[in-house]
Amino acid sequence: EWTEVVLTPATVTLYDVDKYIIRPSTEQFRCSFVELVADGPQPPVWFVSHFWGEPVLDFVACLERHAQDRQLAPTAPYWVCAYANNQWDLGGALHADPAQTSFYKAMRVAERNGGGTVSVLDAQAVCFSRVWCVFEIVTSLRDVGPHYLYDVYTAHRHAHTHNPSSTSQPLTTGTAAGAAGAAGALAEASQQEHRAVGITDGMAAVDDNSAWAKTTREKHFPQALLDAALGTVLQAGQASYDSDRVHILNAIVGRPEAELDADPPLDHPHFQELNAILRGRFASTALGRAVEVGGEAQQRVFQLLPASQLRKLQVSLGNAPQFDNMDLLSLMAVLPPTLEQLEVTKAKQCTHLGERLAGLPRLRKLTLGGFKKLKELPPLPGSLEVLVLRWSTGLVSLPPAAALPASLQTLDLGDCSGLKHLPDWSGRMADHKLHIDNLPSHLQGWQDSGWKEFHCS
């Protein structure tokens, strides 16, 4: 049914595209839009979760920014339900059991292709109140493999200072190194107009392994949307058809197919766990901004971290000069035990870290950059494989052999100019290969001390 409502490029939504483009163009063949226009299979690398009511131009801006941040190949397919599902036969895509739907199957394909889900968040955060989006978020965070990624992007015009050599900034762990390179990189920095901003699951390719770059990129995410996400209640999701809401909520709590029509238990522990996980994803991004403000904002974010089940956390404290030892110890105390990678940089005023790190049983990579006043390391977890200490110029000593994790494989000492000597690890590491990167020049003679089982660069 055609109406006289005037649409403009800025207001066209996917509801409009479906009504005026997708259905009319596919009516003859009764097929999906992708089947109409594609010249071959397009197995997805990324699954897109979103609300149909957002402007299509905003949607496109988000995926363009996502592809650039992740540095995806031009042919990397995104799966978007409106185009991928046959709108003339949705019975083939939908099912009483959500795990049998095309949505779930598309996410499984994206998992096999090494990708994940990107949630496109509209300006009113309606996405988090739609039960199908809730199902997609839950599946992404809980039901697919541990390496499945979950990113969130939103349309937001902003000027971003892009540094072509951002990782040569002091206190980062990127591929470039050295203060001389940093000065040149600053000169090359340029402002770019971006139409969208995203929160990525760990580092994006554009960050080049720099917590500073990630923090700088994500700081533009609108505070109002962060606040909305930090208070998300997934089980409050609604649907156009209440049967969808009932089926999905029951599937989330694990009810069998025979019980999917029952009233869903809205206070189920699964919802509490999933709310904590989703809020924790946003808390990890809000962390850098919260420590700049301190006070209640910082405390609110800290409270969300223990139950977040985060596997990766990066935070740069360069814009929080007031962040002191008590703040750092408070942060250490709330780190989730699920962490596998932790990067804390530019904590210039902090002198000690406490003993929390030793209690992180899954931590494999630890980066401590730019600790000017930290003289010695705290007890380290036995699971640690990579330890990066770049620009921690306050360090004067390293742990003795007995305190060094047996699993440690790589130690990066770039610009640790305060180190007086290296401990005798030869007996402890007699049958283990340890690669030491960026050994300070004043310790180069250590390579000739007879420790042939060690490798330095």
Side-chain angles (χ1 to χ4, degrees):
E1 179 183 349
W2 298 77
T3 67
E4 294 184 1
V5 175
V6 177
L7 298 175
T8 68
T11 63
V12 170
T13 70
L14 201 51
Y15 289 114
D16 301 316
V17 171
D18 179 47
K19 182 175 183 178
Y20 297 121
I21 298 177
I22 295 176
R23 289 182 185 271
S25 64
T26 59
E27 184 174 12
Q28 178 182 355
F29 300 103
R30 299 274 168 160
C31 64
S32 70
F33 190 77
V34 168
E35 291 173 300
L36 183 71
V37 299
D39 59 4
Q42 296 191 17
V45 177
W46 285 89
F47 176 94
V48 184
S49 176
H50 70 115
F51 167 52
W52 277 37
E54 74 211 334
V56 170
L57 286 182
D58 288 352
F59 176 85
V60 171
C62 288
L63 294 191
E64 286 180 339
R65 183 76 262 151
H66 180 260
Q68 291 167 355
D69 289 348
R70 286 288 183 185
Q71 296 183 2
L72 303 179
T75 55
Y78 287 90
W79 194 93
V80 183
C81 62
Y83 306 108
N85 284 335
N86 183 351
Q87 299 302 319
W88 300 100
D89 182 23
L90 289 176
L94 305 180
H95 193 277
D97 180 0
Q100 301 300 318
T101 62
S102 61
F103 302 85
Y104 183 86
K105 294 174 182 177
M107 281 185 268
R108 284 299 190 184
V109 175
E111 176 192 11
R112 292 195 296 271
N113 288 334
T117 291
V118 53
S119 278
V120 175
L121 189 56
D122 56 284
Q124 286 74 43
V126 175
C127 175
F128 290 145
S129 68
R130 305 303 296 170
V131 78
W132 274 109
C133 293
V134 168
F135 167 71
E136 294 156 3
I137 292 169
V138 167
T139 301
S140 303
L141 295 178
R142 185 190 68 180
D143 296 339
V144 288
H147 301 296
Y148 191 79
L149 300 172
Y150 178 67
D151 297 344
V152 182
Y153 275 67
T154 192
H156 178 65
R157 288 187 177 274
H158 62 282
H160 175 63
T161 301
H162 174 69
N163 188 326
S165 303
S166 64
T167 51
S168 56
Q169 292 283 340
L171 321 184
T172 69
T173 60
T175 55
L186 286 173
E188 295 175 3
S190 61
Q191 274 202 339
Q192 298 180 348
E193 183 72 19
H194 287 183
R195 296 190 298 146
V197 60
I199 296 171
T200 56
D201 192 341
M203 302 283 190
V206 73
D207 300 327
D208 198 14
N209 292 321
S210 167
W212 176 85
K214 177 179 170 66
T215 300
T216 301
R217 174 176 57 78
E218 294 184 349
K219 73 178 182 179
H220 299 290
F221 202 90
Q223 185 63 48
L225 289 181
L226 272 180
D227 291 339
L230 293 177
T232 300
V233 180
L234 293 174
Q235 64 268 40
Q238 298 298 311
S240 300
Y241 301 98
D242 194 59
S243 59
D244 286 349
R245 181 189 69 85
V246 170
H247 292 163
I248 288 174
L249 295 182
N250 278 322
I252 289 173
V253 301
R255 282 185 164 173
E257 185 172 353
E259 299 178 14
L260 291 181
D261 289 321
D263 290 337
L266 300 183
D267 59 350
H268 196 280
H270 282 358
F271 289 127
Q272 299 171 20
E273 177 187 19
L274 291 163
N275 285 328
I277 293 173
L278 181 61
R279 293 168 187 167
R281 291 297 180 97
F282 286 92
S284 66
T285 291
L287 181 59
R289 201 175 304 180
V291 298
E292 293 180 23
V293 178
E296 292 183 3
Q298 176 175 294
Q299 190 59 30
R300 181 190 182 193
V301 172
F302 280 12
Q303 289 173 348
L304 294 172
L305 292 177
S308 65
Q309 298 188 27
L310 286 170
R311 296 192 300 269
K312 294 166 278 189
L313 180 63
Q314 301 90 13
V315 57
S316 176
L317 302 169
N319 292 325
Q322 81 289 352
F323 199 83
D324 58 18
N325 278 326
M326 291 301 296
D327 292 318
L328 185 59
L329 291 176
S330 296
L331 174 59
M332 292 292 112
V334 296
L335 293 177
T338 50
L339 276 181
E340 298 174 5
Q341 299 179 31
L342 173 63
E343 179 169 346
V344 183
T345 61
K346 301 189 180 183
K348 300 177 183 179
Q349 304 303 318
C350 300
T351 60
H352 57 278
L353 289 160
E355 300 186 357
R356 172 58 177 155
L357 290 176
L360 299 176
R362 303 182 187 177
L363 193 66
R364 295 183 290 105
K365 181 177 181 180
L366 173 63
T367 298
L368 302 172
F371 279 73
K372 301 288 189 181
K373 298 183 179 181
L374 181 68
K375 296 186 179 299
E376 60 182 18
L377 294 176
L380 299 172
S383 56
L384 199 64
E385 298 174 1
V386 179
L387 177 59
V388 180
L389 301 173
R390 281 193 174 187
W391 291 92
S392 289
T393 55
L395 279 174
V396 297
S397 64
L398 294 172
L404 194 69
S407 56
L408 190 65
Q409 300 172 13
T410 301
L411 175 62
D412 189 332
L413 300 175
D415 297 288
C416 291
S417 57
L419 282 175
K420 304 302 182 185
H421 64 278
L422 295 175
D424 184 356
W425 292 329
S426 55
R428 173 73 170 80
M429 307 297 290
D431 58 352
H432 184 72
K433 301 296 183 181
L434 174 65
H435 187 90
I436 297 184
D437 289 334
N438 303 305
L439 188 68
S441 58
H442 68 283
L443 295 174
Q444 291 293 332
W446 171 81
Q447 297 183 66
D448 302 321
S449 65
W451 293 16
K452 301 302 183 183
E453 68 271 22
F454 288 91
H455 303 278
C456 306
S457 62

